[in-house]
Amino acid sequence: MSICLYDFLCQNIVGSEDYIKLSRLMNASKDRIYSDKLVTYITSGSVGEGLDLQGSDLDIMYVVPTTDIAVKTNLHVNDYHSDKICLLLDTDDVKPGFAYLRLIKGILNENMLMRRNIKRHVCISSEEFKKSFRTEHIHVHHGPCISDTTGYLDIAYCLHSKLWIPTALEWITRPNDSWPSSEIKQTVIDHGVLFVPIGNGENLSEELKWRISFSVGEKFLIYSFTHTQLLCYSLLKILLKDVISEFPGCNDLLCSYFIKSILFWLSEELPTSVWRPENLIPCFMRCFKRLVYCVEHSMCPHYFIPENNLFGNKIVGPNRTKLLQTLCILKKYGWQCILFSSQLSRVSYIRTIQFKDRTFFEDDIEKIMKSKVLSRWLHNRSGGFIRHLQLLLSYQSKKLRSISLHNITQISNYAANTVPLSSVYGNKYQYKQYKQCVSFLLQSTHHDAVSGWLMLASLFYKMKTYSKALNVLSYSLGKCTSEKIVPFATLSSSQRELFRLPMLKKLGIIRSLRILYLSDIKFNESNLIPDELYIGGNNLPKMIPAVVYAYFLKFLCQYHLHNISNYRKSLTDLQLIIEREYLIFGDHLTAFSYHCLGVALLIVGEYAAARKVFIRSIEICPSPLLNSSHKRLSMMESV
């Protein structure tokens, strides 16, 4: 049964070993491309570990540049002669795993870091540090992070020390059987540690505290896991989120970091040879029993700083009693306690023989379509293209070049959207901006099947060169065929057959997606959005299916060319593909598609039909924050 569960997790939940490696390479490529002298980006959390599990949010760490600030554990004479701002780590009178950062030398930007006196020392306020990075869209405090209003994105701004901290010296000399290897240990040590702000402003002492974070080191450790270890980790995370947290009184008592710490300790204690596919269930039960033991004794030592009890004052008293009762109930079911999760409930009915007609390649394709790996998770600066190109050309591996090209072309698409197309500096400067936009868009055509071409058609439409736009749209629509795949959709049987072709397997996932993937069209902060869709502020469709946008733009071009029969046909085609949900997946995208249809009907003066379509859009997606059809209806009623 362990092998059956192993295959099920690989094909349905976690992904194969190759998929995990690809996911990590893609995140590493993004991190490297998005980082520069101003800031270092680190994809962390489950997604950074290669695990894009159901319900996982996206965790990003922004490291303030060490070229300006140095965090020291001890001071030397040379530190006083350095140009850097010098901060001294102070762990006196503070819980293990936390610290104060004392300002020893240099002048801080008051707008970024507020200084407060404590015991006659000047310390950096973690609370004010965190507040200084809030924006209009990312301003919700979530522990050490700042989150967006949807909870999708968590950003932790942090400081970095290249030196290993004294409170974690025991980890360096701690004996272990086989894990982690001395090479992995040295890599973790060489990176140093991060400091993340956790201040809550309740009192001066709390406002000045920083948490010592080993996030990057923990990524190195998890990267060294066997696939069986990674699957055990995933099972525990799923059990925690889907089952344990659903019991009354148990929500928010445990977190994924506790699970990770327990797995680290067990990995250190057990020989690596134990973590094999045929031992998946026994290994999982070892982990689960260790969790029960930790709750029984209200003790979960931090992996790097054992003096830091992660349970602290949380898993004690009535909380501990409720949690322990829940765990004991689940323990009676043995490994089958995981079947209480809706994600894993089908495991007991599946036999290994059922997987013989399927390959990991096609399942990995389907998983990556539904993951956050393909999404652009940041609004990136458009500069540094030469640096990006040099980075791409420096790779010897075809896979690394392909991944790097995927990320660079994604940046190019965003850069094109932010190029101003009108200018007060005259026609010559405006023409230069236009050529730059075309250049970015041509680069972005290598990202997927059509999104780059559709944005190029948008540019031509904005410049009122409608015939050019129609030529590009004709080419794009020729690519919107039934075998194409769209974000978050489940592969059909015919698509699965397609991905079994040796040619596509040879190309690999990224290059296959470049041919077959239809990315949605996104218009956040875009200068290429058609004026007809723009109302003002954030009142615009967040995403539009590629095929819908192609027909909508075709309608607009023919309308402005006064081709009545042609724009009528385009309007009919647009309505048909929306009603048939052709290459459209998900309620939100269907609602945004109806919104586009409603705008088209308004343009031709069919107000009653437009009203019905906007109402239909709102029925599918009622949120006024997400659906601009609310605004359209309001405007119609005010006329």
Side-chain angles (χ1 to χ4, degrees):
M1 194 61 197
S2 285
I3 295 294
C4 178
L5 178 59
Y6 181 96
D7 285 343
F8 179 86
L9 291 170
C10 288
Q11 296 197 338
N12 295 279
I13 307 293
V14 177
S16 68
E17 288 188 68
D18 287 339
Y19 169 80
I20 295 297
K21 289 176 183 176
L22 175 63
S23 176
R24 289 170 176 172
L25 282 174
M26 292 185 71
N27 283 324
S29 173
K30 278 186 180 181
D31 290 347
R32 192 170 179 185
I33 288 172
Y34 294 169
S35 298
D36 54 28
K37 292 181 180 179
L38 296 175
V39 68
T40 300
Y41 294 166
I42 302 171
T43 310
S44 61
S46 294
V47 176
E49 294 162 354
L51 296 173
D52 195 353
L53 301 176
Q54 182 178 303
S56 297
D57 53 11
L58 190 55
D59 297 295
I60 308 295
M61 303 188 87
Y62 287 11
V63 185
V64 173
T66 53
T67 52
D68 300 326
I69 300 174
V71 180
K72 300 286 185 176
T73 56
N74 291 295
L75 291 177
H76 301 282
V77 174
N78 292 337
D79 294 327
Y80 290 96
H81 299 287
S82 171
D83 293 332
K84 293 183 179 181
I85 296 167
C86 186
L87 303 177
L88 180 65
L89 182 72
D90 183 355
T91 55
D92 291 340
D93 301 321
V94 67
K95 179 183 174 182
F98 298 83
Y100 299 117
L101 296 179
R102 288 169 47 192
L103 178 64
I104 301 300
K105 173 188 160 296
I107 299 174
L108 292 168
N109 183 344
E110 291 286 355
N111 293 326
M112 177 180 174
L113 303 170
M114 181 170 285
R115 295 168 287 178
R116 296 290 183 91
N117 288 319
I118 179 172
K119 294 183 179 179
R120 294 181 298 174
H121 299 310
V122 178
C123 294
I124 308 305
S125 168
S126 58
E127 175 76 358
E128 295 301 327
F129 177 88
K130 185 165 54 176
K131 284 181 180 179
S132 69
F133 293 102
R134 291 186 300 190
T135 66
E136 179 185 353
H137 302 291
I138 310 224
H139 59 266
V140 180
H141 284 221
H142 182 205
C145 302
I146 307 173
S147 305
D148 62 354
T149 52
T150 65
Y152 174 82
L153 179 65
D154 280 345
I155 300 178
Y157 291 88
C158 51
L159 298 172
H160 179 219
S161 171
K162 295 181 180 179
L163 302 174
W164 196 250
I165 58 170
T167 49
L169 286 175
E170 182 268 345
W171 180 76
I172 298 177
T173 57
R174 186 191 304 161
N176 59 282
D177 290 335
S178 58
W179 184 94
S181 67
S182 56
E183 292 81 5
I184 294 296
K185 256 194 174 182
Q186 192 58 51
T187 302
V188 173
I189 294 164
D190 290 343
H191 179 269
V193 298
L194 299 171
F195 300 93
V196 296
I198 59 160
N200 56 25
E202 291 179 0
N203 57 61
L204 183 60
S205 175
E206 290 299 314
E207 185 178 338
L208 298 175
K209 285 182 183 176
W210 295 73
R211 180 187 297 162
I212 301 170
S213 170
F214 299 85
S215 291
V216 177
E218 288 160 2
K219 275 176 67 173
F220 292 137
L221 292 175
I222 286 176
Y223 285 7
S224 71
F225 275 0
T226 67
H227 204 55
T228 301
Q229 281 173 290
L230 196 67
L231 295 184
C232 276
Y233 180 36
S234 303
L235 282 173
L236 287 165
K237 286 167 74 77
I238 292 170
L239 183 69
L240 171 60
K241 180 173 176 53
D242 290 1
V243 183
I244 297 173
S245 295
E246 295 300 313
F247 275 77
C250 294
N251 188 30
D252 294 332
L253 288 183
L254 295 176
C255 69
S256 292
Y257 193 76
F258 301 161
I259 300 295
K260 185 193 298 185
S261 300
I262 288 169
L263 200 65
F264 283 161
W265 283 109
L266 273 172
S267 297
E268 191 175 277
E269 295 167 14
L270 299 173
T272 306
S273 58
V274 169
W275 303 92
R276 301 193 307 272
E278 58 268 30
N279 286 339
L280 176 59
I281 289 176
C283 286
F284 165 74
M285 286 307 299
R286 278 180 186 249
C287 297
F288 182 65
K289 288 175 182 177
R290 178 62 63 89
L291 173 62
V292 175
Y293 176 86
C294 288
V295 173
E296 279 179 337
H297 294 82
S298 297
M299 174 59 70
C300 182
H302 190 284
Y303 179 63
F304 291 98
I305 307 174
E307 296 80 13
N308 178 11
N309 178 13
L310 297 175
F311 284 177
N313 296 321
K314 192 173 184 181
I315 314 297
V316 292
N319 285 343
R320 173 187 163 279
T321 302
K322 290 177 185 176
L323 183 58
L324 190 57
Q325 288 173 348
T326 298
L327 294 177
C328 288
I329 291 170
L330 294 174
K331 187 179 176 183
K332 291 179 182 178
Y333 288 91
W335 73 269
Q336 291 179 319
C337 64
I338 64 173
L339 302 182
F340 288 109
S341 165
S342 59
Q343 298 182 67
L344 300 168
S345 58
R346 293 187 295 125
V347 173
S348 59
Y349 302 104
I350 294 174
R351 295 293 179 265
T352 308
I353 192 171
Q354 292 180 267
F355 294 114
K356 289 184 179 179
D357 293 333
R358 296 172 60 180
T359 66
F360 283 131
F361 182 76
E362 62 196 75
D363 288 301
D364 288 347
I365 287 276
E366 186 169 5
K367 178 155 183 60
I368 205 166
M369 284 164 47
K370 299 178 180 181
S371 75
K372 300 177 183 69
V373 174
L374 290 181
S375 63
R376 185 185 71 240
W377 38 259
L378 294 169
H379 290 187
N380 308 296
R381 297 178 294 276
S382 59
F385 181 75
I386 298 298
R387 180 178 66 84
H388 297 157
L389 190 60
Q390 289 172 340
L391 185 63
L392 186 151
L393 295 175
S394 69
Y395 293 127
Q396 299 297 317
S397 163
K398 284 185 179 180
K399 178 183 282 189
L400 287 176
R401 286 202 298 269
S402 181
I403 290 170
S404 186
L405 179 63
H406 171 87
N407 289 326
I408 289 172
T409 53
Q410 193 174 49
I411 291 173
S412 297
N413 190 300
Y414 174 76
N417 277 268
T418 57
V419 173
L421 299 176
S422 58
S423 173
V424 296
Y425 299 109
N427 291 337
K428 187 174 182 180
Y429 183 80
Q430 185 175 346
Y431 180 70
K432 182 180 177 181
Q433 295 293 96
Y434 168 77
K435 295 293 283 185
Q436 184 184 37
C437 189
V438 170
S439 174
F440 280 132
L441 288 173
L442 289 175
Q443 293 160 20
S444 74
T445 59
H446 297 283
H447 183 71
D448 57 56
V450 300
S451 68
W453 294 110
L454 289 178
M455 297 312 294
L456 183 63
S458 268
L459 172 63
F460 291 150
Y461 175 75
K462 291 284 285 188
M463 303 306 292
K464 298 183 177 7
T465 52
Y466 303 122
S467 296
K468 281 186 180 180
L470 284 170
N471 287 335
V472 176
L473 288 169
S474 178
Y475 175 74
S476 301
L477 283 168
K479 288 174 168 281
C480 295
T481 49
S482 58
E483 76 275 5
K484 293 296 192 293
I485 54 179
V486 295
F488 303 105
T490 301
L491 292 182
S492 66
S493 56
S494 60
Q495 287 169 332
R496 287 189 172 276
E497 288 293 333
L498 185 65
F499 283 112
R500 289 170 190 168
L501 294 176
M503 178 188 71
L504 288 180
K505 288 185 179 180
K506 186 176 180 181
L507 283 177
I509 290 177
I510 298 301
R511 285 189 287 174
S512 296
L513 290 178
R514 199 177 301 157
I515 300 168
L516 295 170
Y517 191 63
L518 292 182
S519 180
D520 300 323
I521 305 301
K522 300 176 180 65
F523 277 125
N524 292 333
E525 300 180 13
S526 173
N527 292 321
L528 297 179
I529 182 172
D531 295 338
E532 290 82 355
L533 282 180
Y534 186 77
I535 305 175
N538 292 321
N539 291 295
L540 69 155
K542 307 300 179 185
M543 294 180 293
I544 306 173
V547 66
V548 170
Y549 185 67
Y551 276 110
F552 178 73
L553 200 56
K554 185 178 179 181
F555 158 80
L556 290 178
C557 291
Q558 289 167 340
Y559 178 82
H560 287 290
L561 289 171
H562 307 292
N563 295 328
I564 298 176
S565 60
N566 286 341
Y567 79 63
R568 280 289 177 186
K569 184 180 183 307
S570 295
L571 188 57
T572 301
D573 291 340
L574 177 61
Q575 188 167 356
L576 283 173
I577 63 166
I578 295 173
E579 288 176 353
R580 294 174 181 175
E581 297 185 348
Y582 179 69
L583 297 176
I584 303 170
F585 183 83
D587 288 346
H588 284 152
L589 289 172
T590 303
F592 300 154
S593 299
Y594 274 112
H595 179 86
C596 291
L597 176 60
V599 172
L601 290 168
L602 277 180
I603 290 170
V604 298
E606 297 184 14
Y607 300 108
R611 186 186 299 275
K612 288 181 181 178
V613 169
F614 288 136
I615 291 172
R616 175 63 179 142
S617 174
I618 292 170
E619 288 172 349
I620 298 171
C621 177
S623 171
L625 294 175
L626 295 176
N627 195 343
S628 44
S629 291
H630 287 276
K631 182 70 173 177
R632 294 283 180 182
L633 278 178
S634 176
M635 292 170 66
M636 289 177 70
E637 290 170 359
S638 63
V639 173

